[in-house]
Each structure stands twice: as C-alpha cells, then as structure tokens.
Amino acid sequence: MILAVDIGNSAAKAAIVDGETVLESGRLDTSSATGEDLLDGLRVLTGRHEQPPASIVAVSVVDRWTERLEVAAEAMGLPLTVVAASHIPISTGLARPDRTGPDRLLAAWAASRINGSPVIVVDLGTATTVDAVDADGFFLGGAIAPGLELAADALAEHTARLPRIDITLPEEVIGTDTAMAIASGVVIGHIGTVRELAQRMHARIASRTAHTKVVITGGHSAAPWAHAAWRRPAGDLPAIADTLDPDLVLKGLGLLAEHMGDRPSAGAPR
C-alpha cells in the first residue's frame, strides 16, 4: 500500500492505493495552496488508515510542487519516488521519450494494463492530451490541445465583452444568448476536437483482433456532466469513450509501485 500523488498544473491529487485499487483519495487546488496545505492534506489522508503507507510514489509536472512534496515526504518520514519517463515500462515509438511528460506515459501504460490495447487515452486537464497505444502495447505519441478551462479563460481575457462561463455541457448546440453560445463553442467544440483526434488515431492503430478502447481521465472526467458528454451517443454520432476513469494516473502509480518493487533499482527515491 502506497501514498500515490499526481501533481498537475491545476491540482494535486493523492490517494491511498493498493495495486490498482484506490482506497481513498483527496484533491488540493494548487492555485492558492501552500506546502503546509499539502503536508496537512497528506497527513489527514494517511491518518484515516491504521496501516501507514510504505512510501510515496508521485508523478509531477510542476517543479515547485515537486519540491514541496519532497519537504512533505521528509516531514512524514516516508521514502519518496518521483516517477520519470525511464521508470515506466512501456515501449515507445518516440525519438526522445524522456521529453514526453511522465504523466502521459504513465496514463497510457496504466490504461493498457487495465483495459488492454490498442487504447486511446484522453486526459482532460489544464491541457487536453489524446495519446495512442497500439495493439502491441507501444506508446506511439499523441496530440496536445488547450483544455476546457484555458479555452474559457482565453475568451474572457482576450475579448472585450465575452464573459467567463462555468464549464458544463449545454443542452442545445445552438446558443440563444452569449453565455450559451460560448458554452456550445467551448464544451461541445472540445468534444468535437477529441472525437476527431480519437477517430483519426483509431484509423491508425485499429487491430483486426481487438477493439480500440477509449479511456477518458483527468479532472473534467469526474464532472457531473461527463457521462453525458463522453459515454452517450449524440444524435447520429456514437459515444466517444468506453470508460471514464478519473483515477487512472493514481492507479498507474500503484501498479508502477508493484512493478518497481520487483526491480528496486528502477525507482530510486529522491
């Protein structure tokens, strides 16, 4: 059992994880939080279990929060492994896999372990990433687009009269006022972007013997409207996703901890 921590651009997510089973989790908005907030949150999470975690295994894309996690791990007396691309046992078709975010590689590896391959992984975070793993388990790469919040922020910040909207799925594609029109463009337009990328990637990696699965993860995959957006058909358009898995990266950290447990040199604490 480990304490898994996923530090993204907007939030830090942590969970007590046993293999791919997430026992309990929490989320910290990092926009205004401090290192003490992180430490307090991790202590609360671990304090709810009689058995302490053996270690902290983390993936991070924000250096200053990696440093704060290192301080928290030391204060808790737990060894820390910060996952790098070289830790993740997935073959790639990339010239420089070390320059690909370890969170993307980890999500792709975890999705292929849990759901099989070929698989397309859509991570709806600050940025939206769409990544492809072929039938042989190779990470081929993918696409990166501005996320939903970035798109809504950009319209509000760089236009004179367009308001900032809440991110939710509108009932109608044809907006009858400005806010509805923005919601349609931002949210339904984003769904269309993901659909197009997933369909084109499917055409590249489709296998004659296995269905290409699409797994949606990231912060917006847990939204109340996510099921309607990704799992339901829209008119003549089929559903996009086979699975919504907001905890995919946390599960991946648990699976990776098991993998590295058999190969101690693969995951030296830092």
Side-chain angles (χ1 to χ4, degrees):
M1 191 171 70
I2 64 156
L3 177 57
V5 182
D6 172 19
I7 300 176
N9 288 293
S10 303
K13 290 158 282 186
I16 303 295
V17 180
D18 186 359
E20 67 179 79
T21 302
V22 175
L23 302 175
E24 189 166 3
S25 63
R27 184 181 187 277
L28 177 69
D29 183 345
T30 55
S31 61
S32 58
T34 66
E36 285 297 320
D37 294 329
L38 177 64
L39 175 58
D40 290 345
L42 295 179
R43 280 177 166 163
V44 168
L45 193 60
T46 57
R48 293 174 183 160
H49 294 263
E50 292 184 7
Q51 180 185 353
S55 64
I56 300 175
V57 182
V59 64
S60 174
V61 298
V62 184
D63 289 342
R64 70 180 183 278
W65 278 99
T66 305
E67 294 168 0
R68 291 172 177 177
L69 180 60
E70 290 170 348
V71 172
E74 184 175 358
M76 297 174 72
L78 292 174
L80 168 66
T81 298
V82 179
V83 172
S86 59
H87 292 140
I88 303 165
I90 189 168
S91 299
T92 80
L94 307 176
R96 291 293 303 273
D98 57 307
R99 293 187 178 179
T100 299
D103 55 332
R104 291 174 62 196
L105 292 173
L106 182 63
W109 177 70
S112 63
R113 281 283 303 270
I114 296 169
N115 301 279
S117 56
V119 63
I120 294 168
V121 182
V122 181
D123 191 330
L124 302 170
T126 303
T128 290
T129 59
V130 185
D131 291 316
V133 178
D134 71 12
D136 295 320
F138 278 79
F139 177 88
L140 301 179
I144 302 174
L148 287 158
E149 299 282 354
L150 281 180
D153 288 343
L155 283 176
E157 292 174 10
H158 297 287
T159 60
R161 296 185 179 179
L162 296 183
R164 176 60 165 86
I165 62 161
D166 293 330
I167 302 297
T168 189
L169 180 67
E171 294 183 3
E172 293 289 341
V173 68
I174 301 174
T176 55
D177 59 31
T178 299
M180 290 174 61
I182 295 172
S184 178
V186 169
V187 181
I188 296 178
H190 201 74
I191 293 168
T193 296
V194 171
R195 186 189 299 276
E196 180 76 6
L197 290 169
Q199 287 179 339
R200 289 185 179 227
M201 289 184 190
H202 168 72
R204 289 283 305 276
I205 67 174
S207 166
R208 294 179 181 178
T209 59
H211 167 66
T212 301
K213 291 160 284 292
V214 179
V215 179
I216 307 277
T217 189
H220 287 292
S221 68
W225 49 268
H227 184 88
W230 307 107
R231 296 294 310 278
R232 292 181 190 168
D236 294 333
L237 296 172
I240 297 171
D242 296 276
T243 303
L244 293 177
D245 193 349
D247 293 330
L248 179 64
V249 171
L250 295 172
K251 293 176 182 178
L253 289 168
L255 291 170
L256 188 62
E258 288 186 339
H259 175 83
M260 292 191 299
D262 296 332
R263 302 162 177 80
S265 62
R270 49 170 287 192

